[in-house]
Amino acid sequence: MAAASRAGLAANVFPFRDARSAPDPVLETGPVAYGPLPVPLVLDNGSFQARAGWACPGPDPGPEPRLQFRAVCARGRGAARGGPGPQVGNALGSLEPLRWMLRSPFDRNVPVNLELQELLLDYSFQHLGVSSQGCVNHPIVLTEAVCNPLYSRQMMSELLFECYGIPKVAYGIDSLFSFYHNKPKSLSSSGLIISSGYQCTHILPILEGRLDAKNCKRINLGGSQAAGYLQRLLQLKYPGHLAAITLSRMEEILHEHSYIAEDYIEELQKWQCPDYYENNVHKMQLPFSSKLLGSTLTSEEKQERRQQQLRRLQELNARRREEKLQLDQERLDRLLYVQELLEDGQMDQFHKALMELNMDSPEELQSYIQKLSSAVEQAKQKILQAEVSFVVDVVDSKPETPDLEQLEPPLEDVENIQDFEPLFSEETPEVEKPVTTVQPMFNLAAYHQLFVGTERIRAPEIIFQPSLIGEEQAGIAEILQYILDRYPKDVQELLVQNVFLTGGNMMYPGMKARIEKELLEMRPFQSSFQVQLASNPVLDAWYGARDWALDHLDNEEVWVTRKEYEEKGGEYLKEHRASNIYVPIRLPKQASRFSDSQASGKGGGTSGSGAGEHA
């Protein structure tokens, strides 16, 4: 029984991997141009991770994106003074030591910082082997947020056309690219997309292959908020391990140990059972040192260590004295050289040297030489004395032996001979025993374990119940019901036949079953619906963009060229099945003062001429 329990305990212990990202290799050259057109470059510009690769035509379009890296940058403190430049993505290694320095070009899921976005694009082009001398001569397919603000697209187009000189660009929504990549040809082009990423969750209705932008809804919650919530929960539970409970480790728990409860209340009731808790709790092992907290050194070892530390301190002080002596000696030699110029009568060179030394007169020079000579002599004597008397008395930490005469009681105070026994005991004094190794009163490994129980379902539950973290937003189920109620019954039936789940935050085990349960509760009795999870919720957006680029390589109706950018502005967008809806900026027409005055002038001139004719 005990052996079985120990085996179960060990089976539920999971060490943190604390994975470090390896630097990306720099490819020498990109793919060869295909026919008259160069190969398109596909960039999935996500707020958590950026993915870049080529859309190579042919029967084998190539493997997964060649480049995947975190969309963050970090600038060193000395970058402005010639130090190391900014580091991007996988070049950062572990993110936790640099967490306070990390910068992202995104506000939620919308890129707003042009300078940081340029760093991400530079990193992508450099590691893909793109020759960016003068221009990047490749069409680019770039993902953007749902209902992307015009200023964000304008910023991105300006960066691509003005900075990199690309020939043309096409924008698309990542979740729509994933939707069409997973859609069977026999299935209808209408559906309901639930896309949840690092910062936001979107619910997008698709009607006849086009996005119904008026009924799209967004929840401002995603994987980032779930990781922050889980960090707060565990820090409150384990206040002794605040520094060890990092965001990177919380993301690891979310990705590998969390799941979505099909019924949240019922699952919490299961966790109240001790047997269920023991069988399902995950013990996350924090790194720790096996050194004991208590000292295991004997008094001789402590004294020896103290002497070693004192020797090192003496050597350090002696080294500093020698370095200071060397600097003082060099400065003294320089001053003596200047004094020799005065004695030799070389007045021009003397005055020039005196100005370099920031001195006003020969008397000041002589006074400084005397002080420096005295300091050099004293330093030499100190070094000589330190070499002669190297032996140092080490202060013993033992208390002084008390005077035995004070401990002996006077004879008149002793009542019988038995009181003399402690004074004349023939027993030999006890020899000091070496201190044995102190065994800890608790298991250090168990002390450094985080018991992750109900936290496994509480953190990812926030996209269904945002009120768990105090957010006044509706969850996925309420938003689904709200969107469906905006359509007639026949359109509702059409949409629920193809409910598609995509995005990294949809990869929790049990997510599909939870969505099916929510739909079953809100749909009419005996009505049907279909829920499909993307084959690869993380990479299918890039795969879909690559397939779209290959299908529309020669179709100029979906690409924004440089000429169109210059004519219609950076916010211009050509619509296609995976794109946003283009809403141009419509400014109200206002009559200018010049036109008003000109019109009044014309009116006055006409009346005047009329009056003349009448006269």
Side-chain angles (χ1 to χ4, degrees):
M1 182 72 176
S5 63
R6 284 195 299 269
L9 181 65
N12 285 344
V13 177
F14 302 90
F16 283 107
R17 294 186 292 108
D18 291 336
R20 293 176 56 92
S21 57
D24 294 307
V26 178
L27 304 179
E28 295 183 357
T29 56
V32 184
Y34 176 74
L37 298 176
V39 177
L41 184 60
V42 181
L43 299 175
D44 183 8
N45 194 32
S47 60
F48 178 74
Q49 191 179 56
R51 306 164 192 90
W54 301 101
C56 299
D60 185 12
E64 60 184 22
R66 299 189 182 184
L67 196 61
Q68 301 181 49
F69 59 93
R70 285 290 294 267
V72 289
C73 314
R75 292 182 180 274
R77 285 183 173 179
R81 300 187 297 271
Q87 293 180 311
V88 179
N90 294 334
L92 295 170
S94 177
L95 297 183
E96 288 310 319
L98 305 172
R99 179 70 66 178
W100 63 278
M101 298 174 57
L102 296 181
R103 298 292 182 269
S104 172
F106 292 89
D107 180 9
R108 293 289 182 178
N109 62 331
V110 177
V112 295
N113 192 313
L114 184 66
E115 182 181 1
L116 297 180
Q117 184 64 55
E118 183 179 355
L119 290 177
L120 297 185
L121 292 177
D122 284 342
Y123 185 86
S124 301
F125 295 149
Q126 177 186 1
H127 287 78
L128 287 175
V130 178
S131 177
S132 58
Q133 297 296 330
C135 67
V136 177
N137 192 23
H138 291 273
I140 289 183
V141 180
L142 187 67
T143 60
E144 64 177 7
V146 180
C147 300
N148 193 31
L150 294 182
Y151 77 89
S152 178
R153 187 183 303 127
Q154 181 180 7
M155 177 197 74
M156 193 67 69
S157 297
E158 179 182 349
L159 181 63
L160 292 174
F161 284 109
E162 301 293 346
C163 181
Y164 297 103
I166 66 170
K168 55 186 179 180
V169 65
Y171 295 101
I173 302 173
D174 52 357
S175 54
L176 289 181
F177 282 134
S178 178
F179 175 75
Y180 290 113
H181 178 72
N182 287 270
K183 185 183 77 67
K185 296 187 180 299
S186 59
L187 197 63
S188 171
S189 296
S190 299
L192 203 59
I193 301 177
I194 303 177
S195 173
S196 185
Y198 188 59
Q199 293 286 355
C200 299
T201 299
H202 291 91
I203 301 179
L204 315 175
I206 308 297
L207 294 176
E208 300 300 330
R210 295 306 303 273
L211 174 69
D212 186 8
K214 293 183 179 180
N215 293 317
C216 293
K217 298 298 173 184
R218 182 180 76 172
I219 307 172
N220 290 324
L221 294 174
S224 175
Q225 289 74 24
Y229 180 46
L230 180 59
Q231 184 184 36
R232 292 197 300 272
L233 289 176
L234 292 181
Q235 284 181 342
L236 287 172
K237 189 175 181 180
Y238 298 98
H241 301 304
L242 291 179
I245 301 175
T246 61
L247 279 176
S248 297
R249 287 171 177 165
M250 298 306 100
E251 290 172 358
E252 181 179 336
I253 292 177
L254 285 175
H255 295 165
E256 301 181 7
H257 303 278
S258 297
Y259 65 98
I260 293 291
E262 186 172 349
D263 189 315
Y264 182 67
I265 302 300
E266 182 181 344
E267 190 72 17
L268 287 180
Q269 293 174 353
K270 290 181 181 178
W271 279 96
Q272 293 179 355
C273 176
D275 293 336
Y276 186 88
Y277 180 88
E278 287 296 329
N279 294 331
N280 293 277
V281 66
H282 283 196
K283 304 176 181 66
M284 305 304 300
Q285 183 67 62
L286 292 170
F288 67 97
S289 174
S290 58
K291 283 188 176 181
L292 301 180
L293 300 178
S295 175
T296 60
L297 301 177
T298 62
S299 59
E300 291 81 2
E301 292 174 341
K302 288 181 181 179
Q303 185 173 353
E304 179 65 25
R305 177 173 293 185
R306 201 177 299 116
Q307 290 178 353
Q308 292 177 359
Q309 293 175 352
L310 197 54
R311 291 194 197 100
R312 285 197 296 267
L313 185 60
Q314 286 180 344
E315 293 173 359
L316 180 61
N317 291 335
R319 194 179 307 115
R320 288 178 178 174
R321 288 196 200 98
E322 292 176 358
E323 292 175 356
K324 186 176 183 303
L325 176 62
Q326 184 178 0
L327 293 176
D328 291 344
Q329 186 66 47
E330 292 176 357
R331 185 165 179 80
L332 181 61
D333 294 342
R334 171 66 176 165
L335 296 179
L336 292 175
Y337 170 73
V338 175
Q339 189 179 23
E340 290 178 359
L341 294 178
L342 177 63
E343 295 174 354
D344 295 342
Q346 302 178 9
M347 302 305 297
D348 294 339
Q349 297 182 5
F350 170 74
H351 287 298
K352 184 178 179 180
L354 206 62
M355 291 179 61
E356 291 178 356
L357 294 174
N358 198 15
M359 295 183 183
D360 298 330
S361 62
E363 292 77 7
E364 184 179 358
L365 174 65
Q366 187 65 30
S367 173
Y368 202 86
I369 289 177
Q370 292 177 358
K371 293 179 181 179
L372 203 55
S373 301
S374 172
V376 169
E377 288 299 328
Q378 291 179 2
K380 289 181 178 179
Q381 291 178 4
K382 287 182 179 179
I383 293 176
L384 186 60
Q385 291 176 1
E387 291 177 353
V388 172
S389 58
F390 187 74
V391 179
V392 180
D393 295 334
V394 180
V395 180
D396 196 356
S397 59
K398 295 182 180 179
E400 296 181 358
T401 306
D403 190 1
L404 293 178
E405 295 180 358
Q406 300 178 1
L407 298 178
E408 296 179 3
L411 294 177
E412 57 269 14
D413 296 339
V414 180
E415 297 181 355
N416 51 32
I417 198 64
Q418 294 179 356
D419 294 337
F420 284 95
E421 291 183 0
L423 301 178
F424 302 97
S425 176
E426 297 180 357
E427 296 178 2
T428 57
E430 293 185 1
V431 181
E432 184 181 0
K433 299 179 180 179
V435 181
T436 57
T437 303
V438 179
Q439 296 295 331
M441 300 302 294
F442 58 92
N443 188 351
L444 283 177
Y447 174 73
H448 288 83
Q449 287 176 359
L450 306 179
F451 283 56
V452 185
T454 56
E455 294 84 4
R456 296 176 59 195
I457 61 174
R458 291 177 68 183
E461 182 69 19
I462 64 172
I463 60 174
F464 292 93
Q465 300 185 57
S467 59
L468 289 175
I469 59 173
E471 291 287 342
E472 295 183 357
Q473 301 183 52
I476 287 182
E478 292 87 352
I479 297 293
L480 275 174
Q481 182 69 61
Y482 178 80
I483 292 177
L484 291 175
D485 289 344
R486 297 175 67 90
Y487 294 101
K489 299 295 183 182
D490 55 340
V491 180
Q492 292 184 21
E493 188 67 26
L494 182 64
L495 291 176
V496 298
Q497 295 305 318
N498 187 14
V499 179
F500 179 71
L501 312 179
T502 185
N505 208 36
M506 286 282 141
M507 298 180 65
Y508 295 113
M511 177 64 76
K512 182 180 178 182
R514 176 65 176 271
I515 297 294
E516 290 175 344
K517 173 183 174 297
E518 299 290 351
L519 284 172
L520 184 64
E521 292 179 353
M522 70 178 66
R523 296 300 298 154
F525 179 63
Q526 290 186 345
S527 62
S528 62
F529 55 84
Q530 294 289 332
V531 179
Q532 177 192 2
L533 180 65
S535 57
N536 191 335
V538 174
L539 295 180
D540 277 353
W542 186 89
Y543 290 138
R546 179 196 63 186
D547 298 341
W548 182 93
L550 294 176
D551 294 340
H552 299 82
L553 193 59
D554 301 327
N555 187 2
E556 295 297 330
E557 296 181 356
V558 296
W559 298 88
V560 179
T561 62
R562 182 177 183 85
K563 182 179 179 181
E564 291 170 331
Y565 157 75
E566 294 173 349
E567 291 179 356
K568 302 180 180 180
E571 70 276 1
Y572 178 64
L573 170 70
K574 284 188 176 179
E575 296 182 8
H576 52 85
R577 66 175 186 173
S579 73
N580 277 304
I581 306 299
Y582 175 56
V583 181
I585 300 178
R586 301 184 185 275
L587 297 177
K589 294 183 178 180
Q590 298 179 356
S592 63
R593 295 181 180 179
F594 176 76
S595 60
D596 292 344
S597 62
Q598 188 176 10
S600 63
K602 287 183 178 180
T606 305
S607 61
S609 63
E613 289 176 356
H614 182 68

